[in-house]
Amino acid sequence: ARPLKDSAKAGIAESLFNIAAALPRDRSTDMALIYSQIALYLRPNFELARLLLGGLLDNQRRYAQANDIYGTVDASSPYSSTARLRIADNLTDLENVGAAVEMLQNMSEERPERTDALIKLGGILRSRERYEEAVDVYDMAGMRLGEITPGHWLFFYNRGIALERSKIWKRAEKDFLKALELQPEHPYVLNYLGYSWVEKGINIERAKKMIERAVAQLSLIHISEPTRRTPISYAVLCWKKKTRGGGGGV
């Protein structure tokens, strides 16, 4: 049995962790940092508290310090993969993309049944406008997906973007349509595919309706991808020009 003293410490650590996790991030980050650090002091193997502390440092953009915390997560821990994925994100934000790429490649080789490292790597390459490399990585991840579920819409959407930017339109269109099949009313998918069709002068009527539905939704929710605002506006402008010129649907 665990000694009473250790049990008491573990109980206090758990309580502090719960408080830190519940505190609002916008107003109480410093207090949450203190509580999570005390929780780790009382229970050094408390990996969830370690992830919480790293996440709090991430929120303050203290990426190097966060990585120091994530780096102490035991390799045998079930949270090790989560910690390493976060390290890769932070290395990218610290402009050490090469190290992030190497880490994610190693992770994908260690766990050939998993997709998370490859999807993360594809996202990093895409964000750096290394679209053709991103396509190759997404394709590797695609071979590991298994049964397709609605949650895979984001994979097809992101690969579609990489394909479209690589000028591989037929495959990109297929991925966007698959994403739309999995999430029929998602505004990002409606927007990107509608915009692409308008730009190419095809499926104008369907594209118009998709863009209108996307704009209606995006005007009501917080936009986490602000770069999508411009394509929406541009797509609407293109559509107006097409309709004024007599363009029709396909």
Side-chain angles (χ1 to χ4, degrees):
R2 180 187 295 177
L4 186 60
K5 183 178 179 181
D6 289 346
S7 296
K9 282 185 176 180
I12 295 170
E14 187 89 23
S15 297
L16 290 171
F17 167 80
N18 289 334
I19 294 170
L23 287 171
R25 294 289 176 268
D26 56 340
R27 299 191 303 274
S28 306
T29 299
D30 289 342
M31 190 61 68
L33 281 168
I34 292 170
Y35 285 162
S36 57
Q37 288 172 319
I38 296 173
L40 274 173
Y41 174 77
L42 294 172
R43 186 178 159 189
N45 63 346
F46 198 172
E47 302 289 36
L48 275 176
R50 192 164 274 110
L51 289 180
L52 174 61
L53 177 57
L56 292 167
L57 292 168
D58 284 342
N59 290 342
Q60 295 185 337
R61 300 186 180 183
R62 295 159 63 181
Y63 302 125
Q65 289 175 269
N67 278 359
D68 288 340
I69 299 298
Y70 294 138
T72 63
V73 174
D74 193 278
S76 63
S77 166
Y79 303 107
S80 175
S81 291
T82 299
R84 294 170 74 188
L85 291 172
R86 291 187 185 183
I87 288 173
D89 274 334
N90 289 344
L91 287 170
T92 303
D93 286 326
L94 291 167
E95 300 299 329
N96 194 350
V97 177
V101 169
E102 183 179 359
M103 170 174 281
L104 293 168
Q105 287 174 334
N106 290 339
M107 289 180 68
S108 72
E109 291 169 5
E110 292 165 7
R111 302 289 297 275
E113 77 284 2
R114 294 180 65 111
T115 62
D116 48 4
L118 286 174
I119 289 174
K120 178 75 70 178
L121 177 55
I124 289 173
L125 294 171
R126 181 172 53 84
S127 71
R128 296 291 159 148
E129 300 184 359
R130 294 162 61 175
Y131 299 118
E132 293 180 3
E133 292 175 77
V135 168
D136 290 339
V137 171
Y138 281 132
D139 284 347
M140 291 174 61
M143 291 187 288
R144 302 182 183 186
L145 285 182
E147 182 181 355
I148 303 301
T149 68
H152 287 122
W153 76 270
L154 186 58
F155 167 79
F156 290 103
Y157 171 70
N158 285 333
R159 187 173 68 174
I161 292 174
L163 286 161
E164 187 266 335
R165 297 295 175 87
S166 299
K167 303 186 185 306
I168 309 173
W169 169 244
K170 288 298 183 183
R171 284 191 62 199
E173 183 181 43
K174 184 177 178 181
D175 270 3
F176 289 136
L177 288 169
K178 185 63 177 180
L180 202 61
E181 174 190 329
L182 297 171
Q183 288 288 337
E185 290 299 315
H186 199 288
Y188 294 160
V189 185
L190 291 169
N191 161 48
Y192 210 106
L193 180 56
Y195 162 66
S196 298
W197 278 344
V198 168
E199 189 178 53
K200 294 178 183 300
I202 61 176
N203 301 331
I204 298 299
E205 287 303 316
R206 186 179 176 189
K208 166 196 166 183
K209 293 174 183 177
M210 289 166 58
I211 293 165
E212 287 175 340
R213 299 206 306 274
V215 171
Q217 291 186 68
L218 291 171
S219 66
L220 297 174
I221 64 174
H222 170 70
I223 300 178
S224 59
E225 292 190 28
T227 54
R228 297 275 72 84
R229 288 179 182 268
T230 300
I232 289 172
S233 301
Y234 180 59
V236 172
L237 176 62
C238 287
W239 163 65
K240 287 179 178 177
K241 288 182 177 178
K242 294 282 183 183
T243 53
R244 281 199 296 266
V250 176

